[in-house]
Amino acid sequence: MMHAHIRRVRAAALLLCGLWPLLACQRSGPAPTASPTTASTPSTTTPTGTLRLTGAGATFPYPLYAKWFYEYQRTHAGAQFNYQSIGSGGGIQQMTAKTVDFGASDAPMSDEQLAKSGRTILHIPTVLGAVVAVYHVPNTPGRLQLTGALLSEIYLGHITQWNDPALTALNPQLAGVTAAIMPVYRSDGSGTTHIFTEYLAKVSPAWQTNVGAGKAVQWPVGIGGKGNEGVTGLVKQTPGALGYVELTYAKENQLAYAAVQNRLGQFVEPTTDSVTAAAAASLGAIPADFRCSITDADGTTAYPISAFTYLLIDPTPADAAKAKALEGFIRWALGPGQELAPALHYAPLPNALRERVLATLGQYTAR
């Protein structure tokens, strides 16, 4: 019976994954063409002469990117964007293979990945977001409070019931809940997974020792869903489920999500303000290439599972026309585009950091 139920919820998740771009279109206007699996080789122009730019990668920022592409194309008719929401791992792979004009990732490329690409790849932070712990526990009033240690113990398989004493000590409303916990994780290479597991590794020695951090890890327990969309679908369809997704996916699908204890002991809800607080507390440590982590940041009001998301671009592309069009879009996204972020539950870049990013964009040399 359980296996049959899991097959049904997997099917529902795949259906949601296919429908998500359409749902995003209804909210924000027509979205760029998206494929859930692969990125196609970019072509330079459409039959009408419009320049086509192809990108692939993170699902974490996809709702905002869909909005950005739509709004930008309305006022810049010469550019058309085709973005495949295939996960950060896929975005890095496509960028390395040079089959896209730009990539997108929530996890910065490692030194090893950069070396494998055989070229310099600029990391352009676009906005900030929150990875949230979503749960499906019917008839449970109030927002749950969770710590990194508790999340680690659940995903390690050490806490298996919602009425475990370690959970009810913080959440008395769970005392009468007899349901088992079904952990849900990303089955694809994922920047969201990188952010979540990096946080767990920072706060839980047991997690660091037994699992570690990465875009893909060996999960001790649970079931996997493809993309933020797939995890959202599985949690929504499975009573007792616990998963992790970007805040927008939780909001748009009306999933409950937890307040998480930060390093100063405060239980903080994920909001644009608490994500901004995490970034503000980390500004002094952000390196010149912007590859950094802001999980488990200092600050009383900082949400502990916050992160940047990046566009990945080649600073010396061969196609000057595409370079000019992509640079124009990025400068717009870092300017007027930032004003669109809060409505979709992303935090704009702090002004000081945005100025640094714009200065770095000057390295984009092809004209």
Side-chain angles (χ1 to χ4, degrees), residues 224-252:
K226 185 174 176 61
N228 273 282
E229 304 94 335
V231 172
T232 299
L234 284 168
V235 173
K236 195 167 187 176
Q237 296 292 326
T238 310
L242 171 77
Y244 59 92
V245 298
E246 200 281 327
L247 177 59
T248 294
Y249 292 84
K251 290 274 194 180
E252 294 298 318

Side-chain angles (χ1 to χ4, degrees), residues 26-167:
Q26 292 173 1
R27 186 178 65 253
S28 59
T33 304
S35 162
T37 54
T38 60
S40 58
T41 301
S43 59
T44 301
T45 59
T46 68
T48 60
T50 300
L51 198 65
R52 177 183 290 132
L53 294 162
T54 300
T59 66
F60 181 96
Y62 177 70
L64 178 60
Y65 285 4
K67 177 68 171 175
W68 275 356
F69 295 143
Y70 170 67
E71 294 294 341
Y72 188 75
Q73 289 167 178
R74 287 203 308 160
T75 55
H76 298 76
Q80 183 180 92
F81 290 86
N82 176 6
Y83 180 78
Q84 291 92 30
S85 175
I86 61 173
S88 294
I92 290 172
Q93 290 172 0
Q94 296 292 345
M95 192 67 183
T96 301
K98 301 182 180 180
T99 56
V100 292
D101 299 310
F102 63 94
S105 179
D106 315 313
M109 294 177 69
S110 66
D111 291 343
E112 181 181 357
Q113 289 171 326
L114 288 171
K116 183 179 179 181
S117 75
R119 57 186 168 148
T120 299
I121 294 178
L122 293 182
H123 286 62
I124 304 296
T126 53
V127 288
L128 298 122
V131 175
V132 301
V134 290
Y135 55 89
H136 183 172
V137 187
N139 304 316
T140 305
R143 190 181 304 282
L144 296 187
Q145 293 185 333
L146 296 174
T147 66
L150 287 173
L151 287 167
S152 170
E153 289 294 284
I154 290 170
Y155 275 93
L156 286 170
H158 299 162
I159 294 177
T160 61
Q161 298 291 134
W162 281 108
N163 62 357
D164 186 284
L167 287 170

Side-chain angles (χ1 to χ4, degrees), residues 336-353:
Q338 296 289 293
E339 298 175 5
L340 303 177
L344 291 174
H345 315 295
Y346 298 90
L349 297 181
N351 286 336
L353 178 62

